[in-house]
Amino acid sequence: MKSNKNFYSSLVDKLKKSPILFDDFLDILSRHKEKFFDNPELEFELLLSNGFPIDIEDDKVFLKTTKTKISEQTFCIVDIETNGGHVNKGHQIIEIGAVKYKDGEILDSFESLVYAKDIPEYIQGVTNITPSMLEDAPLLKKVLEEFKIFLEDDVFVAHDIKFDYNFISNSLEKCNLGKLHNRKLCTIDLARRTIKAEKYGLKSLKEVLQIDIDNHHRAYSDALSTTYILKEAIKHLDDNVVTVEDLITYSKNAKPVMPRMKVNHGRKEEKQKVEK
């Protein structure tokens, strides 16, 4: 898994610098130790089906997000509820919600409960999702198949990207549906660089931005709230943030608008806590 991650990260880094001749790109894929297909052209098609945003122009492969302006990009804002924190421990998605967003407009939405046998009581308390609500819900594999078609190669956005993106990708892999190679953007990171707030959890930012959406800790409602956070954050970008790759880099590396907590009584206070 680690080598896969390093391979695709290095591939993105190469493409961010410049397009790669198609034949050279196929050669890179053929030399990948953990490739799925022996045929590099099939491996190329697999990348496309798994959301890797590449295209070919003048016989060169380029990363679309290096050329696409922010206003021209479709973002897919996603949130999930789960019955635990680890796919490899048998936990699964119990609800998924997503919003397609582009240049200030909501284009489409996706929402589904997912069948599961068990939901711990504390998760029922947080989400208000009960086992009886899931009795007639579709199976995980069917929901993931539909979600992956919905996602396409859009930029995957979430408020806590590491959890949502990895959980969905690992779930897809467990269901033999591939994995995710979409470019991704965390609205916690982006909000830290664009919105002044004492805390950057979803609930706190909803209060700061006066986002009046109920059903906190339900997937579609939280995805919709995150969409409005993204919309607000984009308003406050520096002028030199033009392309989608500029935006992703900015979200990770730009100076936060609020300082981190400082040392107090000889001990470092916790960094501003993030509540999902």
Side-chain angles (χ1 to χ4, degrees):
M1 185 71 70
K2 187 176 181 181
S3 61
N4 259 349
K5 181 180 179 182
N6 291 339
F7 173 78
Y8 294 111
S9 296
S10 65
L11 196 54
V12 167
D13 290 341
K14 286 186 177 81
L15 289 166
K16 283 165 67 175
K17 292 176 183 176
S18 64
I20 301 172
L21 283 169
F22 182 64
D23 287 344
D24 291 343
F25 192 86
L26 293 182
D27 184 58
I28 291 171
L29 295 182
S30 70
R31 288 185 281 109
H32 177 38
K33 293 179 181 179
E34 298 186 25
K35 58 184 178 290
F36 190 82
F37 294 109
D38 289 331
N39 184 328
E41 292 188 355
L42 290 177
E43 195 72 13
F44 184 88
E45 293 297 325
L46 182 62
L47 274 180
L48 294 176
S49 70
N50 286 339
F52 203 72
I54 49 178
D55 206 344
I56 302 172
E57 185 177 70
D58 298 328
D59 203 34
K60 291 182 179 180
V61 178
F62 69 95
L63 191 66
K64 292 196 283 186
T65 45
T66 61
K67 296 186 177 186
T68 305
K69 293 181 180 179
I70 295 168
S71 61
E72 298 170 350
Q73 176 66 50
T74 300
F75 297 90
C76 188
I77 300 91
V78 184
D79 188 81
I80 57 175
E81 304 301 335
T82 69
N83 62 1
H86 303 280
V87 173
N88 59 4
K89 292 183 179 179
H91 301 144
Q92 68 157 86
I93 297 165
I94 58 174
E95 186 177 41
I96 185 166
V99 175
K100 290 257 192 178
Y101 173 85
K102 178 182 177 181
D103 195 24
E105 299 294 329
I106 292 174
L107 307 178
D108 203 353
S109 63
F110 182 95
E111 182 178 10
S112 182
L113 291 167
V114 183
Y115 174 78
K117 291 181 180 179
D118 302 306
I119 310 176
E121 286 189 11
Y122 76 94
I123 290 178
Q124 293 184 48
V126 170
T127 64
N128 289 320
I129 298 173
T130 63
S132 62
M133 293 169 62
L134 305 184
E135 287 177 357
D136 298 321
L139 296 175
L140 178 63
K141 185 171 184 177
K142 182 176 186 297
V143 175
L144 288 175
E145 285 174 337
E146 293 175 355
F147 171 74
K148 198 172 184 185
I149 292 169
F150 177 84
L151 175 63
E152 300 177 295
D153 67 353
D154 296 341
V155 174
F156 185 114
V157 181
H159 205 71
D160 185 10
I161 193 73
K162 188 175 181 181
F163 178 78
D164 295 85
Y165 187 95
N166 289 344
F167 203 103
I168 291 175
S169 187
N170 292 337
S171 299
L172 284 163
E173 197 167 13
K174 188 174 181 179
C175 291
N176 297 314
L177 295 172
K179 56 180 68 175
L180 294 180
H181 290 311
N182 298 67
R183 300 299 286 138
K184 51 186 184 283
L185 176 69
C186 183
T187 45
I188 294 175
D189 290 341
L190 184 60
R192 287 189 185 281
R193 278 125 182 118
T194 52
I195 299 168
K196 289 186 176 181
E198 291 188 7
K199 296 181 181 179
Y200 287 90
L202 189 58
K203 186 176 180 181
S204 297
L205 286 174
K206 284 173 65 176
E207 292 174 359
V208 169
L209 301 178
Q210 298 182 329
I211 298 170
D212 187 19
I213 296 174
D214 294 330
N215 291 333
H216 186 57
H217 282 301
R218 289 300 300 271
Y220 178 74
S221 295
D222 285 356
L224 187 59
S225 297
T226 302
T227 302
Y228 288 114
I229 292 170
L230 175 65
K231 182 177 182 179
E232 181 65 24
I234 288 174
K235 292 179 185 177
H236 302 287
L237 295 173
D238 293 346
D239 291 339
N240 61 346
V241 182
V242 178
T243 69
V244 177
E245 281 302 323
D246 291 340
L247 176 63
I248 293 170
T249 300
Y250 181 89
S251 72
K252 297 175 181 177
N253 300 326
K255 183 180 178 181
V257 293
M258 297 287 281
R260 298 282 185 161
M261 293 184 178
K262 298 179 180 179
V263 172
N264 184 32
H265 300 302
R267 294 181 301 173
K268 286 185 178 179
E269 290 185 353
E270 291 182 0
K271 292 178 180 179
Q272 289 171 321
K273 291 183 179 179
V274 174
E275 77 249 3
K276 181 117 167 18

